[in-house]
Amino acid sequence: MAAYIIRRILFMIPTLLGIMLVSFVVVQFAPGGPVEQVIAKLTGADTSATSRISGSAGGDFGARGNVQSGSQQFDAVNSKYRGAQGLDPAFIKKLEKQFGFDKPAYERFGLMLWNYARFDFGTSYFRDVSVIQLIKEKLPVSMSLGIWMTLLTYLISIPLGIRKAVTDGAAFDTWTSTVIIVGYAIPGFLFAILLIILFAGGSFFSWFPLRGLTSDNWWALPWYAKIGDYFWHLTLPIISMGISAFATMTLLTKNSFLDEIRKQYVLTARAKGCTQRQVLYGHVFRNAMLIVVAGFPGAFVHAFFTGSLLIETIFSLDGLGLLGFESVLNRDYPVVFATLYIFSLVGLVVNLLSDLTYTWIDPRIDFETREV
């Protein structure tokens, strides 16, 4: 097993390198880079994306820029930037140096990899704060949504899926399947809007808060009230995020158990006098749960990092999903590439942990004899 783990870890290096290389190449052809963002701010051509850039960044650049009129000030240095007519070419060069665009692309990519290998992610272009600090600030929201949604999904879906498999074709299985299919068909963001209308002061009840992860007076509350307030704010976002994952995991568990229940070894166990509980949890559970475990890494990473963008926006939760989205709009490349690198690395590590969990559930699985 040690050799397999080492091979998987070594395999992560070219995988990460490929992800970063493809993303870096794509970004080189994307219009509206950070230099263009600053130019748009200085020339009054702000868009909805650039308008969220912090004022301190624009002020800093504006202090150094010298806006001059006349076509004679426009040359080849800034002609490659849309809207740069009338700006001092020396100022454009300062902007390029500030953002690192005075170096060729291959040099910038090599420097980025070297820094990322040492977990040095630099500073945000427009927020004047380190990328690590930004991620630390947004992490509690994404952790809250991802961990609790995944935990609740598994705690509810696995027992429900087992019950549906045992009662396959009965009334309980029929009506729960109807509810699950309807829930799966509703997009999470639409369900979130429906919950807001019904329970967050939209048109009917005002039972739940609409903004933030905690109340304004959270720090003044006793510890038990803090816990209650925290989950009070999380209720609607987690329900909205978990509705599709809940349906998928329930049906996956049911089908996996049905497949195992119909096998010969189950009939043999029942013929020997084993009870239903002994058959399900002593014989079927270990085999049936393998496919459920296989889906855990994708479900966890999706919920933790990428599945909460719309939910964070709707419920005004400032998490990693919203941070990544705004960074892409604002072309804040240090944040974009750092979050991509971290998310990819976490995904690879979680996949490795999933394989190791396979061997814990079923010791008959031996990855040593398999290729990576």
Side-chain angles (χ1 to χ4, degrees), residues 197-365:
I197 294 173
L198 293 177
F199 304 114
S203 298
F204 296 91
F205 307 102
S206 297
W207 293 347
F208 295 95
L210 185 57
R211 302 177 60 87
L213 199 61
T214 56
S215 300
D216 294 335
N217 64 334
W218 188 80
W219 295 105
L221 299 175
W223 66 268
Y224 54 87
K226 288 182 178 180
I227 296 176
D229 182 77
Y230 170 73
F231 285 107
W232 183 45
H233 282 76
L234 277 178
T235 300
L236 296 187
I238 288 179
I239 293 175
S240 303
M241 285 181 61
I243 184 169
S244 61
F246 167 77
T248 302
M249 185 57 59
T250 301
L251 295 178
L252 179 66
T253 304
K254 175 194 173 182
N255 293 333
S256 179
F257 268 80
L258 277 178
D259 185 58
E260 293 296 325
I261 287 174
R262 293 164 180 168
K263 290 185 177 179
Q264 185 63 42
Y265 74 90
V266 176
L267 298 177
T268 304
R270 286 174 174 168
K272 290 182 178 180
C274 294
T275 64
Q276 179 80 332
R277 186 178 183 84
Q278 289 174 330
V279 170
L280 286 177
Y281 298 101
H283 296 79
V284 175
F285 186 82
R286 175 177 293 180
N287 296 326
M289 285 301 294
L290 286 176
I291 192 172
V292 177
V293 171
F296 175 78
F300 179 78
V301 173
H302 177 78
F304 199 85
F305 294 121
T306 63
S308 59
L309 170 59
L310 291 175
I311 302 302
E312 287 179 9
T313 304
I314 292 172
F315 289 99
S316 301
L317 299 173
D318 195 9
L320 291 175
L322 191 57
L323 171 66
F325 177 70
E326 291 188 340
S327 299
V328 170
L329 289 181
N330 294 329
R331 303 300 191 267
D332 197 346
Y333 292 151
V335 179
V336 173
F337 285 120
T339 51
L340 175 66
Y341 178 85
I342 294 173
F343 296 172
S344 301
L345 181 60
V346 170
L348 292 171
V349 171
V350 172
N351 273 298
L352 175 58
L353 294 177
S354 175
D355 287 347
L356 298 180
T357 307
Y358 271 133
T359 62
W360 174 68
I361 294 177
D362 190 349
R364 296 172 298 175
I365 297 177

Side-chain angles (χ1 to χ4, degrees), residues 9 56 98 119 192 247 323 354:
I9 293 175
S56 60
Q98 175 76 17
F119 290 93
L323 171 66
S354 175

Side-chain angles (χ1 to χ4, degrees), residues 115-136:
N115 290 333
Y116 284 11
R118 297 179 290 120
F119 290 93
D120 178 9
F121 300 110
T123 304
S124 168
Y125 283 161
F126 303 112
R127 299 172 187 254
D128 196 25
V129 64
S130 70
V131 175
I132 288 295
Q133 183 61 36
L134 272 176
I135 293 176
K136 287 181 179 179

